[in-house]
Amino acid sequence: METSTDGTAEPSAEAAVPPGSLSPSRASDFMQCPLLYRFRVIDRLPEKPSEAATRGTLVHAVLERLFDVPAGERTAPRAKSLVPGQWDRLRESRPEVLELFADDPDGERLARWLGEAEQLVERWFALEDPTRLEPAERELFVEAELDSGLKLRGIIDRVDVAPTGEVRIVDYKTGKAPRPEYAEGALFQMKFYALVVWRLKGLVPRRLQLVYLGSGDVMTYDPVLADLERVERKLLALWEAIRRATDSGDWRPRPTKLCGWCDHQALCPEFGGTPPPYPLPVRAAGERLPESERGDSGQTPTAPVGVPESGDAEQGRMGPD
C-alpha cells in the first residue's frame, strides 16, 4: 500500500491473496472488527510502530536470550544488561522503529523508554525464577492443519516440559492483567495454542500461563479436552465467517473504544473515510467458493465478540503470525 499526493492510501503493486491461515492475533482482529482484519490481512496496510508494541518486542527478546546463559547467571542485572544490545538488534532488523524517537534528539525519551523496559524485565524475577527453568522451546512457531483444511499458526513464547512429560505453555505480556470479566478473552490466545499443540502432538497441555509484567500478575488455566474442542468449533465458525466476507467483499466496521488505537481511521466509514478498492474478486450472493478453497466448517458463524480491555495494542508484541 502506498500513499498518493493527496494523502490517501493506494493499493500496493503486490497482488492480494485470500486468507489462508489463522493466528490468534488475526482471529482477535476479526472478532474485534472485520474491517480491521481486512486492512491488515488482505489490503496489508502499513501501520506505524508504537512504543508499547516495540517495548513488548524488546522485552520478549531479552527474556528469550536470557536462557542462553547458564542457569546460575540468569539474574536480574544480567537480564537488564541485555536490553541495550537487543535494542540495537531490533533497530537493525526493523529500521521503522527508529521513527518512534525521531523527535527526540537529546535521547531523553529513548532513555526513559529503555528504563521502562528494564523495569518490566526486572519485575519478571518476582514472578518466575529462571534459574529453575529449562524451557523445552522458546519463540516456537507452530502450525497445524485441521480436518477441515483450516491452518492454525502462531508463535509460543515458551514451552516447559516436566520430567513426567506434562506441558506448560507460557506467554509474556508487558501490559496489565485484565479485569476478571475479561479473563476469558485473555485466555483465548492460550487455548488457541493449546489446540494447536493437541492437534500436533495428541496431548492436552497441563497448564496455560500468562505472565503480566505490567501489573506483576500471573494467570493460569488448566485446560481439558472439552475446552479445546469448543475452541476448535469457534475457530471453524470464525473461519467460515471470514471466508464469506472474503467472498462477498463485505467487511463491516465494528466500532468500539479500541478504535482509538487504530491507524486506519482515515479509511474507515465510521470516521467518514472510504476503504481502498477491494483487491479480490467479489462473488455473487449465494455463489460458493470451490470446495478446495473453502475449508468449510459447516458451522454457522458466530457474532463477533469483544477482546480484553487490555488488548494486544497495550500488551505490545510485534512479530510474524
Side-chain angles (χ1 to χ4, degrees), residues 100-317:
L100 293 170
F101 304 103
D103 60 348
D104 181 39
D106 55 8
E108 288 186 7
R109 270 203 311 120
L110 174 59
R112 183 168 60 250
W113 181 83
L114 290 171
E116 292 168 352
E118 291 180 356
Q119 290 173 8
L120 292 171
V121 168
E122 186 171 28
R123 184 171 292 151
W124 177 55
F125 287 81
L127 305 175
E128 296 190 289
D129 181 359
T131 65
R132 302 179 63 183
L133 296 171
E134 290 298 340
E137 301 286 352
R138 290 171 278 154
E139 295 294 309
L140 175 66
F141 174 78
V142 291
E143 182 178 72
E145 183 171 329
L146 304 182
D147 294 340
S148 67
L150 170 59
K151 289 184 179 179
L152 305 179
R153 63 196 307 175
I155 299 177
I156 302 174
D157 288 346
R158 199 180 84 217
V159 178
D160 300 331
V161 179
T164 55
E166 295 176 315
V167 172
R168 177 173 63 185
I169 296 176
V170 180
D171 194 74
Y172 307 120
K173 299 294 186 184
T174 49
K176 296 179 180 179
R179 296 201 302 262
E181 60 265 35
Y182 293 100
E184 182 60 32
L187 285 170
F188 170 75
Q189 172 190 10
M190 304 302 285
K191 291 180 180 180
F192 184 109
Y193 291 147
L195 170 61
V196 175
V197 170
W198 172 49
R199 284 302 190 184
L200 285 174
K201 303 293 186 181
L203 61 87
V204 176
R206 175 67 178 83
R207 174 154 294 180
L208 310 178
Q209 182 164 302
L210 285 158
V211 181
Y212 288 95
L213 303 176
S215 57
D217 295 302
V218 176
M219 180 189 299
T220 62
Y221 183 81
D222 296 342
V224 296
L225 182 57
D227 290 323
L228 308 189
E229 292 173 338
R230 280 193 294 270
V231 170
E232 182 168 337
R233 289 193 297 269
K234 179 176 182 177
L235 291 174
L236 290 172
L238 184 66
W239 186 245
E240 176 64 9
I242 291 172
R243 283 301 198 185
R244 291 184 183 184
T246 304
D247 205 7
S248 67
D250 184 10
W251 301 90
R252 300 184 184 184
R254 182 172 180 263
T256 68
K257 59 185 175 181
L258 294 175
C259 292
W261 294 93
C262 186
D263 282 348
H264 310 302
Q265 290 185 11
L267 298 172
C268 179
E270 292 293 327
F271 294 88
T274 301
Y278 190 54
L280 295 175
V282 175
R283 298 176 185 271
E287 183 183 358
R288 299 287 284 168
L289 283 167
E291 184 72 26
S292 61
E293 298 179 19
R294 270 195 282 135
D296 201 344
S297 68
Q299 302 284 335
T300 301
T302 56
V305 298
V307 296
E309 189 170 84
S310 54
D312 283 343
E314 295 181 7
Q315 299 300 348
R317 179 69 190 276

Side-chain angles (χ1 to χ4, degrees), residues 55-108:
R55 184 169 50 238
T57 300
L58 175 60
V59 171
H60 276 79
V62 169
L63 298 187
E64 179 191 4
R65 293 275 71 86
L66 184 63
F67 286 103
D68 289 340
V69 304
E73 299 177 23
R74 297 171 194 163
T75 63
R78 179 63 179 269
K80 290 166 63 177
S81 75
L82 297 176
V83 170
Q86 291 304 312
W87 170 234
D88 289 341
R89 291 184 60 184
L90 184 58
R91 287 186 301 169
E92 292 173 3
S93 61
R94 300 183 182 180
E96 67 271 17
V97 302
L98 294 173
E99 300 173 18
L100 293 170
F101 304 103
D103 60 348
D104 181 39
D106 55 8
E108 288 186 7

